[in-house]
Amino acid sequence: MKVSKTLFMHFMRCDRFAGLYETYQNKIDAIVDFHGGDDLEALMSIENKAKTSALLDSIENEYGDEDPIHNISEQMEVMMPYYAELEQIAGKVISDTFKGDVIYSLETKKQKRMALQHEGYEFYAFLDAFQEDDDTIRLIEVKATTDKKYLDLVYTDKHKEKIPVFEKDMQGILIGKLLPYEERTKTYQTQYSNLRNRLTKVGRYMYDIAYQYAVHKKKFPTLKKEVKAYLAVLNSQYRFDGTYVSGKPVYQDDLITFIDVTNFVEDMLPMMYQDMDKVVQRLNENFAGNVPLGPHCQRKDNRECPFFNICHQHFPEKHDVFSYINRQHGFSNGSEKIDLYDWINDGYVHMTDIPFEYLNREDNQIQRHVVESNQAYIHKKRIQAFIEDLKYPIYHLDFESFPCPLPRYRGEKPYMQSLFQFSVHVQNNPNECDLLNDHTQYLADSHDDHRERLAAYLCDVIKDDDGSVMVYHEQFEKERLEELAELFPQYAKRLQNIRSRVVDLKLFLKGNGKLHQTLGFSETKGFNFYDASMDGSFSIKKILPIFTNISYQDLDVQNGTEALTQFAKMPTMTKKEQETIYKNLTAYCRQDTYAMFKILEGLRARVYES
């Protein structure tokens, strides 16, 4: 059997994955043989589509880690051209930075393939880039992420000084600092452990390149050349200067940051070889029975296990233990603390299974009472104070953005949330706001740079009248307003004024100590509203149906991901298709701002009812 990098990561999850994979692989092979080829539609009609497409993501083929007919998400699909361009840019920068022969291609089958025979299995990987000169071999993994997560890794040394784990050398390459064991402080050991953990945000990339490094080192144990390992990622501080050639952005080499992780992956070699043996053992045992659940399932992560639904089929559809807010911190009765997965693996899967005395957080106690009584919780005094503190007119504001990996317009950074739409409902009096007549929006009708026009129109719509600017998750809107003010200083004063008036409806519903204190309350914790139907979520889509019969299910664009994917596709559509998308995007963003009005008035009705 051939074990690709992707499969290796999956087999390392738990003892059960290999058995489940074998069962499904045999079933897929049988179906394909029966239909005389890769009859994907027939396959999808027989197997659950979601589970099958997830499985297909994991199946290798002769050219690479993934099946050529695997199903990818719409968001991934619209981002693929940018990822491909990023890989081309990285390839050029690799050639410019490291002299010597470079094997690099967007086509997997043209990349450097490394394979190792071990205990009857072939462990292999395709390298994004392989560079070799007279003295050194460099294994380079290109990742569509930024260097920020590595720059943010700091530790406190023995002199209480904060030191970065990764620092730049004279070439601008980030080099990981591997300290001797005796010099490691507690904070350094935490960062060190995170880097070695394949389930963390920084560790998953480290583990990817460590697997490739381990295959190469075990394949060539007596190689005299130095072998180095790098991650090639986006420079989080890079700003596009606005240079275009034939309408396309031209990027400088410093768009790419190289991270030299050789010290760390060399240190990980014993662990990687142990993991290879563990995978061999699991493949040989082919066990498919129940196993303990845990973080390795990677619930709601983009690397969630494709068999997640099988292992969690005994969970209730509503009010499972994952609905508890801050569940990741465990539950304590004052004398002992029990981790969430310890409860789960003991059979406690419904919210009401957890003994009440272990719900030491007020919010969890509220959730429990609401679920058991099926009566919504509402803190009338704080909600009344919140409503009375609002200033009219209230401007209900929502932005839609496109987080492109590559900056498209002057002044943008990688993954900067580039605004293409805003919606505003102006509410002049309590209980008065019309879906259509009190609505204004700006929606870019092309992929040209519309940001300045959007900023100017926003300043026209939201008057300098001290009215509250209501949003749903203020961090997003405040950051976008800050970015617009920086990009267009002629509007900075007005944009900062708008920012200073922002009121976060979601933050208030969820409860916030600082906000409570500004309203004259001493309490620093506790929800202000919770309903059983929310099931642990404060999403506006969960809360709106509590107060109205309006549903996002009636819209053709139903969430922010669909909005950005539809906007991304506009240049490739016919004029008629563009008109339809424009209409759908308008309806979606308009509903977001109208929803805030409806929720606010729903709260008003409840707290002032007799």
Side-chain angles (χ1 to χ4, degrees):
M1 179 179 179
K2 296 179 180 180
V3 180
S4 68
K5 183 180 70 174
T6 300
L7 273 177
F8 184 82
M9 305 303 172
H10 281 315
F11 290 142
M12 278 303 300
R13 288 182 186 276
C14 66
D15 291 335
R16 190 184 197 191
F17 190 93
L20 290 175
Y21 175 79
E22 179 71 16
T23 300
Y24 269 71
Q25 181 65 64
N26 290 340
K27 188 176 293 187
I28 287 175
D29 288 343
I31 294 170
V32 170
D33 290 342
F34 178 78
H35 288 279
D38 294 338
D39 191 342
L40 184 60
E41 291 304 316
L43 178 64
M44 290 301 187
S45 68
I46 297 172
E47 293 295 325
N48 176 279
K49 186 173 182 179
K51 292 178 183 176
T52 306
S53 63
L55 177 66
L56 291 174
D57 274 341
S58 308
I59 299 174
E60 74 221 7
N61 66 86
E62 60 180 318
Y63 294 134
D65 289 350
E66 295 180 336
D67 190 280
I69 59 172
H70 73 288
N71 184 31
I72 60 176
S73 69
E74 274 198 292
Q75 182 172 358
M76 180 67 75
E77 183 181 350
V78 299
M79 291 298 183
M80 286 302 289
Y82 299 104
Y83 294 150
E85 186 177 356
L86 168 60
E87 291 190 5
Q88 288 180 320
I89 294 168
K92 175 184 178 300
V93 178
I94 289 167
S95 298
D96 291 345
T97 305
F98 304 114
K99 305 307 177 185
D101 295 330
V102 178
I103 300 176
Y104 185 88
S105 177
L106 293 180
E107 295 184 58
T108 305
K109 62 183 179 181
K110 294 182 180 179
Q111 293 176 353
K112 176 74 173 181
R113 187 182 191 273
M114 297 187 307
L116 168 70
Q117 297 297 326
H118 179 63
E119 300 293 335
Y121 296 93
E122 181 180 275
F123 293 84
Y124 74 94
F126 288 88
L127 290 174
D128 289 341
F130 179 89
Q131 186 273 337
E132 184 173 7
D133 56 34
D134 293 338
D135 306 308
T136 308
I137 290 174
R138 293 179 176 86
L139 315 179
I140 304 172
E141 179 83 354
V142 180
K143 293 295 185 183
T145 186
T146 73
D147 57 13
K148 186 177 187 302
K149 54 177 60 72
Y150 294 94
L151 291 170
D152 286 348
L153 294 178
V154 296
Y155 67 96
T156 305
D157 67 9
K158 294 178 180 179
H159 304 291
K160 308 300 180 184
E161 295 285 335
K162 289 190 175 181
I163 310 294
V165 176
F166 288 86
E167 292 186 300
K168 288 188 177 181
D169 66 5
M170 296 295 291
Q171 284 184 283
I173 296 174
L174 281 175
I175 300 180
K177 189 181 300 181
L178 182 65
L179 296 182
Y181 183 79
E182 62 275 9
E183 295 182 20
R184 297 176 187 177
T185 62
K186 183 177 179 180
T187 54
Y188 179 89
Q189 188 62 34
T190 298
Q191 304 293 30
Y192 170 81
S193 298
N194 286 335
L195 284 165
R196 291 167 59 92
N197 185 349
R198 67 184 186 279
L199 301 179
T200 67
K201 296 297 184 184
V202 291
R204 63 179 53 181
Y205 302 123
M206 190 73 72
Y207 198 87
D208 280 1
I209 187 66
Y211 170 80
Q212 298 170 54
Y213 188 83
V215 169
H216 190 275
K217 293 285 279 192
K218 198 171 183 67
K219 175 80 173 180
F220 304 105
T222 60
L223 191 68
K224 293 184 179 180
K225 288 186 178 183
E226 181 182 16
V227 181
K228 306 201 73 174
Y230 294 83
L231 296 174
V233 300
L234 289 159
N235 175 3
S236 58
Q237 296 306 307
Y238 180 89
R239 282 192 181 272
F240 177 47
D241 63 9
T243 300
Y244 296 87
V245 172
S246 300
K248 293 192 65 176
V250 177
Y251 303 110
Q252 304 302 312
D253 281 2
D254 60 338
L255 173 66
I256 302 298
T257 296
F258 291 106
I259 307 177
D260 185 340
V261 296
T262 308
N263 290 340
F264 282 102
V265 296
E266 179 71 28
D267 184 61
M268 291 170 67
L269 276 179
M271 180 182 78
M272 300 305 299
Y273 294 151
Q274 289 176 5
D275 287 353
M276 284 184 182
D277 291 337
K278 185 179 291 186
V279 167
V280 169
Q281 179 184 351
R282 288 172 171 174
L283 287 169
N284 287 338
E285 292 176 350
N286 202 27
F287 175 76
N290 292 329
V291 297
L293 305 178
H296 55 271
C297 302
Q298 293 181 281
R299 176 179 179 267
K300 293 191 175 180
D301 188 278
N302 60 6
R303 296 192 182 191
E304 181 180 275
C305 178
F307 300 123
F308 182 91
N309 290 335
I310 293 175
C311 298
H312 291 75
Q313 60 185 319
H314 60 297
F315 277 60
E317 288 188 18
K318 293 183 178 180
H319 311 314
D320 66 29
V321 291
F322 289 117
S323 297
Y324 276 122
I325 300 292
N326 293 321
R327 60 193 173 273
Q328 69 275 15
H329 300 304
F331 302 91
S332 172
N333 65 357
S335 59
E336 71 169 339
K337 183 177 180 179
I338 301 180
D339 180 77
L340 172 67
Y341 279 105
D342 289 335
W343 286 113
I344 289 172
N345 291 316
D346 281 340
Y348 297 77
V349 295
H350 193 279
M351 291 181 77
T352 58
D353 290 342
I354 306 291
F356 189 85
E357 60 267 26
Y358 280 86
L359 302 180
N360 59 317
R361 289 181 287 271
E362 180 183 345
D363 289 344
N364 293 160
Q365 294 171 5
I366 291 172
Q367 288 182 277
R368 178 65 158 270
H369 285 308
V370 168
V371 168
E372 290 182 334
S373 68
N374 201 30
Q375 295 292 316
Y377 172 84
I378 185 162
H379 197 299
K380 289 189 176 184
K381 288 185 178 179
R382 286 203 299 245
I383 291 178
Q384 286 174 348
F386 175 74
I387 290 173
E388 290 167 7
D389 193 57
L390 296 171
K391 296 177 176 62
Y392 289 86
I394 299 173
Y395 299 93
H396 300 275
L397 169 66
D398 182 62
F399 288 133
E400 297 300 330
S401 64
F402 186 66
C404 190
L406 298 175
R408 299 178 301 157
Y409 310 130
R410 178 191 59 82
E412 287 190 343
K413 297 179 181 180
Y415 286 107
M416 196 167 179
Q417 297 279 357
S418 186
L419 295 177
F420 64 84
Q421 183 179 14
F422 76 72
S423 172
V424 172
H425 270 93
V426 183
Q427 181 184 357
N428 290 295
N429 296 293
N431 296 307
E432 293 181 10
C433 189
D434 185 78
L435 174 65
L436 301 178
N437 295 331
D438 294 315
H439 176 254
T440 304
Q441 74 157 357
Y442 185 95
L443 175 54
D445 58 3
S446 71
H447 278 210
D448 296 329
D449 188 355
H450 285 252
R451 295 171 303 160
E452 184 173 356
R453 279 168 282 178
L454 183 149
Y457 191 48
L458 181 66
C459 291
D460 285 341
V461 172
I462 300 181
K463 308 299 183 185
D464 189 10
D465 54 13
D466 204 34
S468 297
V469 178
M470 184 166 287
V471 301
Y472 207 81
H473 189 58
E474 67 177 21
Q475 181 180 352
F476 181 79
E477 269 75 19
K478 281 187 171 182
E479 287 179 356
R480 305 294 79 77
L481 289 165
E482 191 73 44
E483 289 164 358
L484 288 176
E486 183 179 351
L487 289 167
F488 307 109
Q490 64 271 37
Y491 302 109
K493 185 176 180 180
R494 287 297 318 282
L495 290 167
Q496 291 290 4
N497 175 263
I498 293 170
R499 186 179 184 278
S500 70
R501 293 151 53 190
V502 164
V503 178
D504 188 346
L505 180 58
K506 178 182 178 181
L507 188 69
F508 176 71
L509 291 170
K510 202 169 185 179
N512 177 266
K514 186 177 179 181
L515 179 54
H516 293 166
Q517 289 173 0
T518 63
L519 297 173
F521 295 89
S522 59
E523 303 99 326
T524 58
K525 297 179 180 179
F527 295 154
N528 290 312
F529 179 81
Y530 190 78
D531 185 270
S533 64
M534 292 163 61
D535 214 13
S537 171
F538 280 81
S539 163
I540 199 169
K541 296 165 184 63
K542 284 275 192 178
I543 297 177
L544 181 61
I546 298 170
F547 299 103
T548 75
N549 59 0
I550 300 173
S551 171
Y552 281 82
Q553 298 301 315
D554 299 328
L555 301 177
D556 291 307
V557 172
Q558 299 178 2
N559 56 58
T561 300
E562 291 182 7
L564 75 87
T565 56
Q566 292 302 306
F567 176 74
K569 294 177 180 179
M570 284 182 70
T572 63
M573 294 179 174
T574 65
K575 185 175 181 180
K576 186 175 181 179
E577 289 172 332
Q578 288 179 351
E579 290 172 353
T580 299
I581 292 302
Y582 195 96
K583 177 183 175 183
N584 293 341
L585 289 173
T586 296
Y588 166 71
C589 201
R590 181 176 63 209
Q591 181 148 307
D592 270 352
T593 49
Y594 192 64
M596 285 187 278
F597 158 71
K598 298 297 287 186
I599 292 170
L600 178 64
E601 297 312 311
L603 290 171
R604 184 193 303 277
R606 292 208 183 185
V607 299
Y608 289 107
E609 64 187 7
S610 56

